Amino acid sequence: MTQASAPGKIILFGEHAVVYGQPAIAAPVTQVRATAEVENAAHAGVLLRAPDLREETWLAAAAEDHPLGAAVRAFEAVAGPVAHLTATVTSTIPIASGLGSGAAIAACLIRALARHLGREDLATDAAVSTMTFEVEKRHHGTPSGIDNTVVSYEQPVYFRRAFGAQPSILSTLTVGRPLYCLIANTGVIALTKESVGDVRRQWLAEPERFETLFARCGQIAQQARAAIERGDQALLGQLMGENHAVLQAMTVSSAELDRLVTAALAAGALGAKMSGGGRGGNMIALVDETCEADVREALTAAGATSVLETLVAAS
Ligand code: PMV
């Protein structure tokens, strides 16, 4: 039996604009994880098991967009057909809430398959990320590639996708001073594919205005990278607020997200913003030891259905 796991992720800066070639910053959330186990089996096919969802299906019968089926098929597309296996995936990452659950499930399963079948060349971070990207495309249409990158490398990253003639950039971040973040869930399930599609429609209708908004997110991400490297948390907090305002202008925030952001700031957070696709899902608040308890309480009082914490530090 071979096991592999992958963390959740949060986007600190640059969501949505990253789809249009602007840089973004994301970090793993190691408190929540997806874990895959692959074992040899007497049966001829591949049995996919998701005990959390009380679900079992054969690969041959799995729909095109089945999360486990899509991951195995992405692996097969590179490694050739697999058989006589049982693959079991469990996860503590909340689904459809901007924590990268889909990417983590695919990444851990692909890595477990590669290791189990002795394909160490396909178990590297880069190979796992590339195959996971293929799965993300199936689920999200036009993903930027940031989710698969963070969950496969399991490090804070500064990421820019290739766009037009512009080459991609992927660099791990030095973290001057660890960032202590609270991640609060609105409890509203929102599909990233829909908010990404909506931004696209608005961009096509008003290209100049949206390109200005995207460029502003890119500048914020660049300034944030320098602030993270220097450990300048006051500036980072301010940049989070500016990024949230631009995301509001793109219409991807929501009343619930705005309420949590306002509550966190009123309770003393250094900064707060929505994170990920938006319209629901999660927001993040930058805190320190002095305000952490107050911010957590304020988030719960303002309707957060869960509050996770994560420490963003260089690994
Ligand atoms: O909702 P999440 O955390 O999966 O993030 C989506 C991030 C977007 O920038 C909105 C889309 C993307 O593919 O990068």
Side-chain angles (χ1 to χ4, degrees):
M1 195 260 282
T2 310
Q3 212 183 51
S5 76
K9 75 98 210 346
I10 40 166
I11 296 186
L12 298 176
F13 291 96
E15 51 275 270
H16 286 291
V18 68
V19 175
Y20 298 85
Q22 297 293 338
I25 297 175
V29 178
T30 48
Q31 286 79 351
V32 285
R33 301 191 76 83
T35 304
E37 281 178 14
V38 173
E39 55 198 324
N40 292 337
H43 51 245
V46 179
L47 182 62
L48 305 170
R49 299 182 57 239
D52 298 337
L53 307 174
R54 296 203 183 80
E55 208 194 282
E56 250 187 43
T57 180
W58 293 98
L59 176 63
E64 277 286 288
D65 60 352
H66 186 281
L68 309 187
V72 178
R73 288 183 188 126
F75 179 78
E76 287 187 322
V78 179
V82 299
H84 292 290
L85 295 174
T86 296
T88 306
V89 176
T90 55
S91 173
T92 56
I93 309 172
I95 55 169
S97 56
L99 286 172
S101 139
I105 284 170
C108 71
L109 180 48
I110 287 167
R111 204 187 294 268
L113 281 168
R115 287 196 185 136
H116 189 75
L117 298 169
R119 292 294 307 262
E120 285 303 322
D121 59 320
L122 298 181
T124 62
D125 295 341
V128 170
S129 181
T130 303
M131 287 181 270
T132 302
F133 184 56
E134 294 304 314
V135 180
E136 289 280 284
K137 279 201 239 171
R138 195 168 295 279
H139 295 318
H140 295 314
T142 56
S144 63
I146 196 163
D147 278 25
N148 50 284
T149 303
V150 179
V151 304
S152 304
Y153 286 80
E154 213 171 309
Q155 286 186 40
V157 298
Y158 178 87
F159 171 87
R160 195 185 75 181
R161 73 184 295 196
F163 197 70
Q166 159 185 290
S168 64
I169 298 179
L170 168 64
S171 50
T172 50
L173 286 180
T174 1
V175 182
R177 200 173 129 204
L179 307 177
Y180 188 15
C181 294
L182 296 181
I183 305 167
N185 196 336
T186 56
V188 177
I189 301 235
L191 295 178
T192 298
K193 194 173 182 165
E194 279 172 22
S195 65
V196 168
D198 250 23
V199 170
R200 184 169 191 82
R201 275 185 287 279
Q202 295 180 80
W203 167 62
L204 289 171
E206 290 182 274
E208 266 175 40
R209 187 164 86 84
F210 268 71
E211 272 156 35
T212 307
L213 296 173
F214 298 150
R216 180 66 197 125
C217 292
Q219 286 163 353
I220 293 171
Q222 277 174 29
Q223 288 173 283
R225 176 190 191 163
I228 290 172
E229 292 180 341
R230 280 201 311 274
D232 186 346
Q233 303 210 338
L235 176 57
L236 267 181
Q238 185 193 319
L239 292 169
M240 287 169 85
E242 287 176 26
N243 200 163
H244 186 71
V246 183
L247 290 161
Q248 284 176 316
M250 290 181 201
T251 76
V252 290
S253 190
S254 68
E256 293 85 358
L257 284 164
D258 290 346
R259 188 159 64 234
L260 295 181
V261 166
T262 306
L265 294 172
L270 302 169
K273 66 181 275 292
M274 57 158 274
S275 173
R279 301 266 165 87
N282 285 280
M283 56 75 71
I284 50 171
L286 179 64
V287 296
D288 58 21
E289 315 72 51
T290 53
C291 67
E292 188 263 328
D294 289 348
V295 174
R296 183 185 285 274
E297 201 180 302
L299 287 169
T300 306
T305 53
S306 70
V307 182
L308 295 171
E309 61 185 53
T310 194
L311 198 65
V312 178
S315 59

